[in-house]
Amino acid sequence: MTRHLIVNADDFGQTSGISRGIVECHQNGVVTSTSLMVTGRAVDEAVRLSQANPRLAVGLHFDVWGEDEREFDTHDISATHDEFQRQLEAFEKAMRRLPTHLDSHRHAHREEHLFDHFQKWCEPLGIPVRGDGKVNFVGGFYGQWEWGVTELKYVSVDFLRQMLKAEVPAGITEFSCHPGYITLDYRGIYAHEREAEIATLVHPAIRRTIEELEIRLVSYADYARIVSAG
């Protein structure tokens, strides 16, 4: 059975620098999909970049907290559902289509009290939800395995090559990533790690390793076709 890999960049639209970094990793590296944060400061620019890069699949990055840790009670299911609908509608208005997939900032949708609800809310859309088992999710490419503690070895070329060798089974796998350029309007503790991710994701050794391992690099826009083909 073929091994398919989606490399998905979170936080598209959060700032112009992050969006620019994601697109660079798509054009010159291995990023195939991204997730749009409709609450971000640079949504309009992200939409324009998406239009200029039609092969970059775009999903919805549901967000209720942001990087400024604003308050939102996700245990209020009704309010959370309303916010999901608002963000979905904002996505459709901006992109003029449905998202190819759904994930969330700080994995909010995967909290135990929310996950079943998100699966139900997304079922009519017919799209994968991160963590629902339709796509094998791998989140280890991240420069802060401990909150606030930077370990750049976890976003290095050698580490990503090892992940490719060990963590892409038969079927469809997603590697998440968080590339971006840090600009003055960015707020968050995950900062220079993003630029380190860019350097790795565009490194020729990564694409070469994917080819050597005979892994097929795909996007979330390919998901339905792959599943229907069996």
Side-chain angles (χ1 to χ4, degrees):
M1 187 175 179
T2 304
R3 295 185 292 167
H4 298 89
L5 176 64
I6 296 167
V7 181
N8 187 84
D10 291 1
D11 304 332
F12 196 45
Q14 186 175 16
T15 66
S16 61
I18 288 176
S19 297
R20 181 161 49 89
I22 289 170
V23 168
E24 180 173 333
C25 292
H26 172 64
Q27 293 177 338
N28 302 323
V30 295
V31 166
T32 60
S33 299
T34 190
S35 305
L36 180 66
M37 183 183 283
V38 298
T39 59
R41 298 178 177 88
V43 173
D44 292 343
E45 181 180 0
V47 171
R48 290 193 295 271
L49 288 169
S50 170
Q51 293 168 344
N53 294 273
R55 292 179 62 83
L56 179 65
V58 183
L60 174 62
H61 195 59
F62 178 73
D63 168 47
V64 290
W65 294 311
E67 295 289 359
D68 53 359
E69 303 297 324
R70 61 184 178 271
E71 292 186 5
F72 189 96
D73 181 9
T74 61
H75 287 84
D76 186 335
I77 302 302
S78 178
T80 304
H81 177 259
D82 289 347
E83 182 60 18
F84 165 72
Q85 288 295 330
R86 188 193 70 78
Q87 293 189 25
L88 178 61
E89 290 169 7
F91 182 101
E92 291 185 70
K93 182 178 180 180
M95 296 293 296
R96 298 183 180 180
R97 62 168 178 77
L98 291 171
T100 57
H101 59 287
L102 179 128
D103 50 50
S104 62
H105 197 51
R106 290 173 43 200
H107 298 296
H109 79 284
R110 298 182 71 184
E111 293 194 359
E112 186 175 356
H113 64 282
L114 282 182
F115 190 63
D116 288 347
H117 293 286
F118 268 91
Q119 287 186 287
K120 180 180 178 181
W121 298 339
C122 289
E123 186 174 356
L125 306 177
I127 61 174
V129 176
R130 181 178 284 174
D132 66 2
K134 295 176 182 175
V135 173
N136 174 46
F137 173 66
V138 179
F141 183 75
Y142 194 67
Q144 289 188 12
W145 280 20
E146 182 180 347
W147 181 259
V149 179
T150 298
E151 291 283 357
L152 292 183
K153 67 181 180 181
Y154 294 126
V155 290
S156 67
V157 171
D158 287 345
F159 187 77
L160 183 52
R161 291 183 72 232
Q162 185 57 40
M163 286 179 62
L164 289 167
K165 294 174 183 178
E167 299 190 64
V168 187
I172 308 174
T173 297
E174 175 199 345
F175 281 7
S176 65
C177 58
H178 301 78
Y181 289 106
I182 302 307
T183 49
L184 292 176
D185 59 343
Y186 177 72
R187 301 290 182 269
I189 66 167
Y190 198 74
H192 66 278
E193 296 92 344
R194 292 181 181 270
E195 297 185 359
E197 287 197 23
I198 293 174
T200 294
L201 292 164
V202 302
H203 197 288
I206 301 304
R207 186 173 289 275
R208 185 164 59 246
T209 300
I210 290 171
E211 293 171 353
E212 290 171 353
L213 295 172
E214 298 184 339
I215 295 170
R216 291 190 182 179
L217 198 60
V218 297
S219 78
Y220 268 110
D222 300 311
Y223 171 80
R225 174 185 58 78
I226 294 169
V227 171
S228 64

